Amino acid sequence: MDAVVKFTSQSQGRDRVFRSTQYACALSIYLLRNKPDRKDLVARLKSLENNMSAGRKLLRLGNAANSIVAAKQTMQLSDRLLSLCLTVANINRALYFICDNAVWARNVGLIRSIDKERWSINASRYYLFSLVMNLTRDLYVILQLMQKKGRDNRFKSRMNQHLSDCPEVAEAVIPELDALIFLLLETLRSEPTVALDTVKNICDLFIPLDRLGIYKSSAGVVGFCGLISSLIGILTLARPTLRIKP
């Protein structure tokens, strides 16, 4: 119970719960779309989804400042490529929050002179840029880990054993490709923080891609990806050891 109270007392924790509920509703609405006898349930789910979305916008007020501080910190990293990826990601995330806050202010009537649709599109664009840079960081870290593991003698013996134990695979697949896939899977298995962050960012990527019309997905795909990403966010927030650093 103490862990639950500590988790929900954080604004990030509440946002993750709201986000999971929002996308769970979106997925449920998609699955129930062709069932006329569930119209009342669908209507309630849509109302809950909208309320969760509005609540999240309120919780995100002020997050732009946090992203700017994070950008200043990542600029000090000794690894220049890692520093570049994370700094650009945090700057775009700050711009996303600014646009998102403006949309919220327009929705509640605090600001009436802005084009809500334009600011919403800009928010999705900055969110996409942030995710692309985070995925670039993930790929960079994965490649570094693969190089390190590939030089390990114990891993080399395991790889050779794997290739010799699966001769039918070696015949059907290029041995070098099989070895590369084995190395990738073993790297991700030994580094769950990187694996979780990569899956989370890939799932999140479908949301702005669909919103911007770059890659249209069904509401079910967006809901499913959003739900998976949100659950990973809850897991990494509840267990900080599973959160990628920096």
Side-chain angles (χ1 to χ4, degrees):
M1 181 60 70
D2 290 341
V4 174
V5 172
K6 182 179 179 180
F7 179 82
T8 55
S9 66
Q10 305 175 62
S11 61
Q12 279 190 336
R14 292 192 294 272
D15 178 70
R16 296 291 192 280
V17 173
F18 280 28
R19 192 176 193 265
S20 298
T21 306
Q22 176 187 345
Y23 284 108
C25 288
L27 179 59
S28 300
I29 291 169
Y30 177 80
L31 296 175
L32 296 172
R33 69 192 186 284
N34 294 324
K35 297 185 178 181
D37 57 325
R38 298 297 182 90
K39 285 185 178 180
D40 290 341
L41 176 58
V42 169
R44 289 196 293 269
L45 288 173
K46 286 182 178 179
S47 176
L48 179 58
E49 179 188 7
N50 292 334
N51 287 331
M52 291 296 102
S53 178
R56 290 183 60 224
K57 288 185 182 298
L58 183 61
L59 290 174
R60 290 197 294 264
L61 291 175
N63 281 1
N66 295 336
S67 295
I68 293 173
V69 171
K72 290 181 178 179
Q73 293 173 345
T74 53
M75 288 177 65
Q76 308 303 319
L77 295 175
S78 58
D79 189 316
R80 303 318 300 169
L81 182 56
L82 193 62
S83 174
L84 175 64
C85 291
L86 291 176
T87 301
V88 174
N90 283 320
I91 290 173
N92 277 281
R93 193 164 180 81
L95 294 171
Y96 158 71
F97 284 129
I98 291 172
C99 293
D100 186 70
N101 293 162
V103 172
W104 173 83
R106 175 66 176 81
N107 287 338
V108 299
L110 294 178
I111 303 175
R112 298 185 181 277
S113 58
I114 68 170
D115 185 339
K116 175 184 172 181
E117 183 63 19
R118 179 183 175 187
W119 280 80
S120 180
I121 290 295
N122 285 336
S124 296
R125 187 175 291 115
Y126 290 128
Y127 183 38
L128 175 61
F129 290 157
S130 174
L131 290 173
V132 169
M133 295 311 298
N134 279 326
L135 277 171
T136 303
R137 182 273 303 269
D138 290 335
L139 178 59
Y140 174 64
V141 172
I142 289 172
L143 290 175
Q144 284 189 318
L145 293 171
M146 289 175 64
Q147 289 179 348
K148 182 179 179 181
K149 185 171 285 291
R151 291 192 294 265
D152 184 69
N153 291 327
R154 288 181 298 177
F155 176 76
K156 288 181 180 179
S157 63
R158 287 179 56 199
M159 181 184 293
N160 293 331
Q161 182 67 33
H162 165 75
L163 294 174
S164 62
D165 289 345
C166 304
E168 68 283 356
V169 175
E171 293 177 1
V173 182
I174 301 174
E176 290 79 5
L177 178 59
D178 185 26
L180 180 62
I181 294 174
F182 180 76
L183 175 58
L184 174 61
L185 293 178
E186 286 297 313
T187 300
L188 294 177
R189 185 180 303 171
S190 62
E191 296 290 340
T193 58
V194 181
L196 286 172
D197 193 70
T198 303
V199 172
K200 178 180 179 297
N201 286 326
I202 291 175
C203 288
D204 279 337
L205 200 62
F206 284 89
I207 300 171
L209 287 177
D210 179 73
R211 179 72 177 85
L212 295 170
I214 298 173
Y215 183 82
K216 298 296 292 183
S217 303
S218 68
V221 171
V222 173
F224 176 77
C225 289
L227 178 59
I228 294 298
S229 168
S230 301
L231 293 176
I232 293 176
I234 289 176
L235 177 62
T236 55
L237 194 60
R239 297 185 59 184
T241 55
L242 293 176
R243 191 183 312 168
I244 191 171
K245 296 176 182 179

